[in-house]
Each structure stands twice: as structure tokens, then as C-alpha cells.
Amino acid sequence: MALSTRLAWPLRPVLAALHQAVRGQRRGLSIPVGPGRTLDLGGIFPPLATPFSPTQEVDYAQLEGNLRRYASIPFRGLVVLGSNGEYPYLATRERLEVVSCVRRALPRDRLLLAGSGCESTQATIELTVSMAEAGADVALVVTPCYYRGAMTSAALVQHYTEVADASPIPVVLYSVPANTGLDLPLEAVLTLAQHPNIVGIKDSGGDITRMGLMVHKTRQEDFQVLAGSAGFLMASYALGASGGVCALANVLGAPLCQLDRLCREGHWQEARDLQHRLIEPNTAVTRRFGIPGLKKAMEWFGYYGGPCRAPLAPLSPPQVEELRGAFSANSWL
């Protein structure tokens, strides 16, 4: 049930603790936590691609097959219904069914983050509550952007505050300016980091200076910064990021988990060598060819990629060869 947005912030830690206790009792979660943190987001999260059949229906059997293959990789958890999940193209019913399907297959010690951002605050709250009921551990809430000219820092702080007040699960902010045309302002992030039910941000903008400032300015808060791309993962870790939500993890999950481990253990030369080999493939499945490129690459590594939902179009044969070259040139194929 939604909490009043007029609730005084001094009372919110109590309510956040109650939310956490109820959530754990409801699903029997056992989530390891870091020092001073209610929820540890440290590690790699692949933002799952949503598999579709040749008739563009969600293919739950293929989704379960991919999940079985991912089970052997030491991911911290999974993200569903992010940008790489073709979230805008799914009906609400499909979104909730995807969350339920992944939750059933996912071990209880692995987190499930689910995208629940909508254009209106009310719709975001309603979907976030439904995602929690379907089994999500954390809500990943993208910035509303259709009326981006009106999305001032004050408007965004109000939006996220109301969502976090009402959410029965923790909230992670999601800034992806390449898709929204809107970068969540730093001052808004720093204000929202003080909210007890906002536990972090996935920042896909690639501005390392900005990410470093976020880590530095929120060091006294229960707030974690997640790199939104494998292309700058090592640099993010060097500045104190907790983990990464990386499209490339759908394809090269084990190497990305290895990079995570090398950075945590301070093996920076090995980490740098590995990071170098990941940059070109990452660019190919993100900025260069997007989701059609990601799904094609998944097929080369034993996963089901399949078609995208229209109007996203498949790659042309020359594009497929260029994509293959980005992987083969770095000894992945």
C-alpha cells in the first residue's frame, strides 16, 4: 500500500526496515550484505535479453533454457526488463510473466532486479508494487523522459521520492541518456541517495568523472553505484563502483565475472588486459548494433538470441560479419 509522500523523512528508515523484513519473510530470502549495507549489489548482473519466437511472442521455454546456462556463472543476480530486455515493447502482462518465470528459476541467493519505470509516477508505483508481488527483489526505475524538457531536478526528485516511499522493495535509479535523452542530474542523485529505500544507481552514461563524484559524495549513505556498461567497468571499479549491469554479460558472462574478481583482488594488470579485450565486443553489442547485435552474438556462444520484436530489425549479412570481427579480433571466437 502506498505510503504518503508527505511522510517525514526521519520516519522512513523504520518503514524501510519493515519493508525489508516483510519481504524476507514473504519469500525466505537470504541475501548477503556488505558492511553497513542493507542490500549488497556488488558483482555482475546481466540485463537479460527477452527471447521471442519467430512469431514475436515471448518464448518462455527459451528463456528458461538461457537461465539454465547462466546458472553456472557466478553472477550476483539478474536484471529483467531493462533496455536490453526490449522493455518498451512488452505488455504489462508479459512483463510480470517474465519476472515470475525468472524468479522461479533463480536461486534465492541471487538478486532479481526488475525494470518498472513508466512515464507517470502513478503508473511507476503500480508497476513496482506488481513487480514485487511477482518476485522482484529490487526495482530498477528509469527516468521518465517523454516530457524531458519538464524533467527538472526537482521534478525527478519528487518522482523518485514518491516511488521509493510506496515501493515494498528497494529502488535502484536508472540513468541511460543514450535511450532517454536525459541524464539524471548529479544533484538529484545526491539528494535521492539519502532516501532509505533508494539503494543505488545504474549509470549507463559512461562519464567516469560523474561516477567518481557519485561514489565520493554518497560514501556516508547506504548507496551503491553500478556501471551500466562493460566498456568502462574496470575504470568504474577503480573509482569505487560496487558492480556492473552489462549487456555483454549475456554473451561473455564468465569473463566479466573474472574481471570483477580481478578488480576486487587488486590484480590490475590482468584486469586491464582483460578489459581491453572486452571493449570492442561491448561496443558492437551496444552502441554499434544494439539489441539485434546482442542477440546474434548470444547465438554464437550457446544461448538463444532469436528475433527482436518489431520495429527492431535483424542485422544485414555485412553487419553480422562486422559483429563477428569484433569478437574474433579479440580472441573470443
Side-chain angles (χ1 to χ4, degrees):
M1 187 174 180
L3 304 177
S4 170
T5 59
R6 295 186 298 275
L7 186 65
W9 274 33
L11 295 179
R12 290 177 183 163
V14 177
L15 287 158
L18 288 173
H19 280 321
Q20 185 77 0
V22 169
R23 186 169 60 92
Q25 290 171 4
R26 175 163 58 87
R27 294 203 300 275
L29 295 178
S30 176
I31 300 171
V33 297
R37 291 176 175 169
T38 57
L39 187 67
D40 188 352
L41 299 174
I44 300 299
F45 297 81
L48 296 182
T50 301
F52 295 108
S53 70
T55 57
Q56 298 197 357
E57 297 299 317
V58 178
D59 195 326
Y60 294 100
Q62 295 290 0
L63 175 58
E64 291 168 354
N66 283 345
L67 292 171
R68 285 192 295 271
R69 297 178 186 98
Y70 289 137
S72 62
I73 302 173
F75 293 131
R76 177 65 183 96
L78 305 176
V79 172
V80 294
L81 307 175
S83 302
N84 290 284
E86 296 175 69
Y87 169 82
Y89 294 171
L90 271 64
T92 299
R93 169 187 55 80
E94 294 174 317
R95 294 171 182 176
L96 295 174
E97 288 175 356
V98 167
V99 172
S100 297
C101 178
V102 175
R103 178 74 276 173
R104 287 192 299 270
L106 193 63
R108 292 297 176 179
D109 63 345
R110 296 196 181 186
L111 292 173
L112 177 57
L113 281 64
S116 64
C118 301
E119 285 301 309
S120 77
T121 302
Q122 179 178 338
T124 301
I125 289 171
E126 291 174 357
L127 187 56
T128 298
V129 171
S130 296
M131 291 295 185
E133 292 171 349
D137 297 309
V138 178
L140 182 66
V141 181
V142 72
T143 50
C145 62
Y146 189 83
Y147 300 107
R148 67 176 56 85
M151 293 299 100
T152 62
S153 286
L156 291 166
V157 167
Q158 179 70 15
H159 169 74
Y160 279 109
T161 297
E162 292 188 25
V163 171
D165 282 348
S167 175
I169 54 178
V171 170
V172 169
L173 312 173
Y174 182 17
S175 182
V176 54
N179 289 352
T180 64
L182 178 68
D183 213 351
L184 186 57
L186 179 61
E187 60 268 25
V189 175
L190 300 183
T191 298
L192 292 166
Q194 300 172 53
H195 193 293
N197 205 31
I198 295 177
V199 298
I201 182 171
K202 177 196 174 187
D203 194 312
S204 298
D207 184 337
I208 292 299
T209 300
R210 168 185 156 95
M211 293 185 70
L213 273 175
M214 284 183 194
V215 172
H216 177 59
K217 296 289 188 180
T218 63
R219 64 191 183 281
Q220 301 301 322
E221 309 295 341
D222 183 7
F223 189 82
Q224 297 158 79
V225 176
L226 301 175
S229 175
F232 50 86
L233 185 61
M234 176 185 165
S236 301
Y237 278 145
L239 289 171
S242 296
V245 180
C246 307
L248 189 61
N250 284 284
V251 181
L252 298 176
L256 278 166
C257 288
Q258 181 186 5
L259 180 57
D260 171 87
R261 179 182 58 79
L262 291 171
C263 291
R264 292 180 189 283
E265 294 177 356
H267 301 302
W268 293 109
Q269 182 59 57
E270 293 175 66
R272 186 173 66 181
D273 293 342
L274 180 53
Q275 175 70 86
H276 286 167
R277 295 175 58 216
L278 294 169
I279 292 172
E280 286 182 288
N282 179 74
T283 300
V285 300
T286 55
R287 289 198 308 270
R288 182 71 181 94
F289 298 118
I291 301 168
L294 176 66
K295 286 189 166 182
K296 173 57 69 173
M298 288 173 65
E299 295 174 356
W300 298 334
F301 290 85
Y303 304 103
Y304 178 83
C308 295
R309 189 168 267 184
L312 287 179
L315 301 185
S316 66
Q319 288 175 323
V320 170
E321 288 310 304
E322 185 180 340
L323 175 67
R324 184 184 295 276
F327 282 87
S328 61
N330 292 278
S331 302
W332 298 115
L333 286 173

